[in-house]
């Protein structure tokens, strides 16, 4: 996605003469001092030729400073991000443009863009003389392994005159934002079960009407099949009306992300919490591509696209907008101060929520019980359980019992969840297939299962 460049304008500085004189270089100050000294000596000695030389030396840096000061407000700058939203670990390119909108050529231009240190070193460029009406473009790359929203700018422009007498800096007032979203992993198209009837893999539709006389019409929309035009109602209402023959109910999926600070240990791009965020992002994109209405829910009860929303549809332009909103949310999501999952359960207990896929940190017995109640409110439930203690230990360190995690895993499966333990370093796609195999095995052995993925 490209982020359109915006022309920036600097605020007018007060005290223009003072600002211009402050920009004099060592050479400019030397010329000015030599000119003043020569003028004083010429006055004392009565030498008119020396006075003319002194005036020339003194006026030259002042003229350069005045012209350069006026020129710096006749240079326009722009910035364009390509793309404006990038996964962690991937590169984005920033395009800078400088345009001379005055009738005079510029001197040497030095560009510097301000970027956060996590995106890389501060870029600097030197541009030669730009003719009147000319334009120059340069670009640089940025990359971050940490998700987030990072400001780029403001852009700084340093101008010098051809004689090297003066050097002024112009700072543009606006900046752009680069959004670094979690890494998204492609997931295999395994069989989906447990979702509400409708689109997705459950393609049953409920007929809204039984007969032609009972049809609830709606206005014609561009792209509607003309064979669905109801001419009798069209004549009655005086505008094109079409039959609403089917009322499709799209399959729903809720992705639950546990963000409790007490449930995760460690930090950095390889931590358990970052894996959970990336897993939720991959699942959201995958389910949208499968045609599901998707909602992102956290342990605090907050959801995207919003409280009580049905989610966004897949296989349409809305899916891209929905994915963008949820990726932007996941780009800046952080640990919550909550200690339980009850707020999320309060959101889910309104009825059958379709398929529920959860990414969970450390659980105690109380939270495992709450998750058992969540299972009763969903058509199917899949849980990826992360033992954060095993993620912070070195691979050679086998100390620390896993009995508690295994016990929580057993409680979830007994409650009807298709629960999978997430070891360190295992890709989500592999765990995705493992959950499907577990669901199939539990179904074949007659064990209670919480649906598949």
């Amino acid at each position: 996605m490209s982020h359109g460049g915006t022309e920036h304008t600097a605020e007018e500085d007060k005290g223009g003469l003072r600002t211009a004189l402050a920009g004099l270089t060592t050479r400019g100050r030397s010329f000015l001092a030599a000119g003043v000294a020569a003028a004083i000596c010429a006055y004392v000695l009565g030498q008119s030729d020396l006075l003319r030389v002194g005036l020339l030396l003194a006026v030259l840096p002042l003229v350069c400073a005045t012209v350069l000061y006026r020129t710096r407000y006749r240079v326009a700058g722009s910035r364009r991000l390509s793309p404006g939203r990038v996964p962690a670990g991937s590169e984005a390119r920033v395009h800078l443009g400088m345009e001379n909108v005055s009738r005079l050529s510029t001197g040497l231009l030095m560009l510097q863009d301000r970027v956060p240190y996590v995106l890389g070193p501060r870029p600097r460029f030197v541009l030669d003389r730009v003719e009147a009406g000319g334009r120059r473009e340069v670009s640089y790359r940025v990359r971050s392994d940490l998700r987030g929203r990072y400001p780029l700018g403001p852009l700084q422009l340093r101008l010098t005159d051809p004689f090297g007498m003066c050097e002024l800096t112009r700072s543009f007032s606006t900046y752009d934002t680069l959004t670094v979203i979690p890494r998204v992993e492609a997931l295999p198209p395994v069989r989906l079960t447990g979702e509400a009837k409708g689109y997705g893999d459950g393609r049953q539709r409920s007929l809204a009407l039984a007969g032609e006389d009972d049809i609830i019409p709606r206005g014609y929309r561009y792209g509607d099949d003309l064979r669905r035009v109801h001419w009798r109602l069209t004549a009655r209402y005086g505008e094109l009306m079409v039959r609403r023959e089917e009322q499709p109910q799209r399959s729903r999926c809720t992705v639950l992300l546990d963000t409790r600070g007490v449930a995760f240990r460690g930090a950095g791009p390889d931590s358990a919490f970052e894996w959970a965020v990336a897993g939720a992002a991959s699942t959201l994109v995958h389910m949208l591509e499968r045609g599901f209405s998707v909602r992102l829910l956290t342990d605090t009860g907050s959801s995207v696209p919003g409280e009580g929303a049905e989610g966004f549809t897949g296989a349409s332009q809305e899916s891209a907008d929905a994915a963008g909103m949820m990726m932007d949310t996941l780009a800046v999501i952080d640990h919550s101060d909550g200690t339980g999952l009850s707020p999320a359960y309060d959101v889910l207990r309104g009825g059958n929520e379709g398929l529920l896929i959860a990414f969970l940190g450390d659980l105690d017995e109380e939270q495992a019980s709450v998750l058992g109640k969540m299972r009763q409110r969903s058509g199917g439930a899949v849980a990826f359980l992360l033992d954060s203690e095993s993620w912070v230990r070195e691979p050679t360190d086998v100390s620390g019992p896993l009995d508690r995690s295994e016990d929580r895993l057993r409680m979830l499966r007994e409650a009807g969840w298709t629960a999978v333990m997430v070891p360190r370093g295992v890709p989500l796609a592999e765990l995705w297939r493992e959950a499907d195999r577990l669901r199939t095995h539990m179904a074949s052995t007659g064990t209670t299962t919480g649906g598949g993925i």
Side-chain angles (χ1 to χ4, degrees):
M1 182 185 75
S2 298
H3 189 85
T6 305
E7 278 201 355
H8 306 294
T9 58
E11 297 180 358
E12 295 287 344
D13 291 340
K14 297 181 179 180
L17 181 60
R18 182 182 303 173
T19 302
L21 292 178
L24 289 176
T25 62
T26 301
R27 179 185 299 179
R29 295 176 186 274
S30 300
F31 267 63
L32 181 60
V36 172
I40 294 176
C41 292
Y43 176 77
V44 172
L45 300 176
Q47 298 290 329
S48 59
D49 292 337
L50 182 59
L51 178 61
R52 284 191 289 268
V53 173
L55 292 177
L56 176 63
L57 292 177
V59 169
L60 181 60
L62 296 178
V63 171
C64 291
T66 303
V67 173
L68 193 63
Y69 179 78
R70 294 175 62 87
T71 301
R72 72 176 186 152
Y73 289 108
R74 298 182 180 274
V75 179
S78 64
R79 182 191 296 105
R80 179 171 57 87
L81 307 184
S82 178
R85 183 188 291 123
V86 62
S90 300
E91 291 184 344
R93 184 168 289 275
V94 183
H95 301 268
L96 301 178
M98 300 303 300
E99 183 177 1
N100 182 11
V101 296
S102 69
R103 298 179 180 179
L104 300 176
S105 300
T106 68
L108 192 67
L109 301 180
M110 288 173 283
L111 294 178
Q112 177 177 277
D113 206 9
R114 182 175 298 176
V115 299
Y117 72 94
V118 296
L119 297 182
R122 181 171 296 184
R124 294 180 175 89
F125 304 94
V126 177
L127 302 180
D128 204 352
R129 170 182 172 274
V130 181
E131 66 279 4
R135 180 179 176 84
R136 299 289 187 272
E137 289 191 0
V138 294
S139 65
Y140 64 92
R141 294 177 296 179
V142 290
R143 179 182 181 274
S144 174
D145 291 326
L146 298 174
R147 56 186 176 81
R149 291 175 61 87
Y150 300 102
L152 300 177
L155 180 66
Q156 290 184 336
L157 174 64
R158 183 176 297 175
L159 303 94
T160 60
D161 65 279
F163 301 102
M165 298 290 179
C166 186
E167 183 178 279
L168 294 179
T169 301
R170 173 183 175 182
S171 294
F172 296 92
S173 59
T174 59
Y175 60 89
D176 295 282
T177 301
L178 175 68
T179 303
V180 180
I181 63 175
R183 294 183 179 91
V184 175
E185 183 179 348
L187 301 179
V190 300
R191 180 171 175 264
L192 298 166
T193 60
E195 68 274 13
K197 295 180 180 180
Y199 286 118
D201 279 14
R203 299 181 184 273
Q204 301 180 19
R205 303 180 184 180
S206 57
L207 292 179
L209 305 161
E212 185 174 307
D213 294 337
D214 296 326
I215 291 177
I216 301 176
R218 64 169 174 82
Y220 175 82
R221 298 172 185 167
Y222 179 78
D224 284 340
D225 191 347
L226 291 177
R227 290 175 297 182
R228 295 179 57 192
V229 174
H230 194 286
W231 298 108
R232 185 190 306 172
L233 293 175
T234 296
R236 179 186 304 174
Y237 291 103
E239 61 176 329
L240 279 178
M241 307 296 291
V242 297
R243 297 181 179 90
R244 194 184 320 196
E245 295 176 347
E246 295 179 345
Q247 189 72 22
Q249 182 183 2
R250 195 173 296 275
S251 300
R252 294 183 297 176
C253 175
T254 298
V255 178
L256 173 62
L257 176 61
D258 185 3
T259 64
R260 295 172 298 138
V262 297
F264 294 94
R265 295 176 56 188
D270 296 327
S271 64
F273 180 68
E274 292 300 322
W275 190 98
V277 173
S282 302
T283 302
L284 289 168
V285 173
H286 178 75
M287 301 307 290
L288 281 170
E289 291 175 348
R290 296 296 302 271
F292 280 70
S293 293
V294 178
R295 174 175 59 180
L296 172 63
L297 181 66
T298 67
D299 57 287
T300 62
S302 60
S303 62
V304 178
E307 184 178 356
E310 293 292 332
F312 288 88
T313 59
S316 68
Q317 179 61 34
E318 291 181 351
S319 65
D321 298 336
M325 290 179 60
M326 288 184 280
M327 291 301 106
D328 289 344
T329 300
L330 291 175
V332 297
I333 200 167
D334 202 355
H335 292 295
S336 69
D337 297 329
T339 58
L341 300 173
S342 297
Y345 170 69
D346 292 338
V347 175
L348 291 174
R349 66 181 182 179
N352 192 325
E353 294 294 329
L355 186 61
L356 175 61
I357 302 178
F359 292 86
L360 307 168
D362 295 335
L363 300 174
D364 55 25
E365 187 173 352
E366 180 181 357
Q367 304 314 315
S369 177
V370 173
L371 287 168
K373 297 177 182 179
M374 288 186 187
R375 169 63 188 91
Q376 301 173 5
R377 300 294 179 179
S378 62
V382 183
F384 295 95
L385 183 61
L386 292 89
D387 178 28
S388 62
E389 184 177 353
S390 65
W391 280 67
V392 298
R393 292 199 308 263
E394 294 296 330
T396 56
D397 185 7
V398 296
S399 62
L402 298 178
D403 293 344
R404 191 179 70 170
S405 297
E406 294 292 342
D407 183 59
R408 302 298 177 257
L409 191 68
R410 177 185 55 81
M411 291 180 62
L412 291 179
R413 290 177 178 176
E414 289 178 352
W417 285 80
T418 300
V420 179
M421 185 68 71
V422 179
R424 183 178 181 180
V426 179
L428 177 60
E430 183 176 336
L431 298 173
W432 195 258
R433 295 188 184 94
E434 180 182 346
D436 183 57
R437 290 193 296 267
L438 177 62
R439 176 196 58 81
T440 304
H441 173 72
M442 295 174 68
S444 62
T445 57
T447 310
T448 303
T449 177
I453 55 170

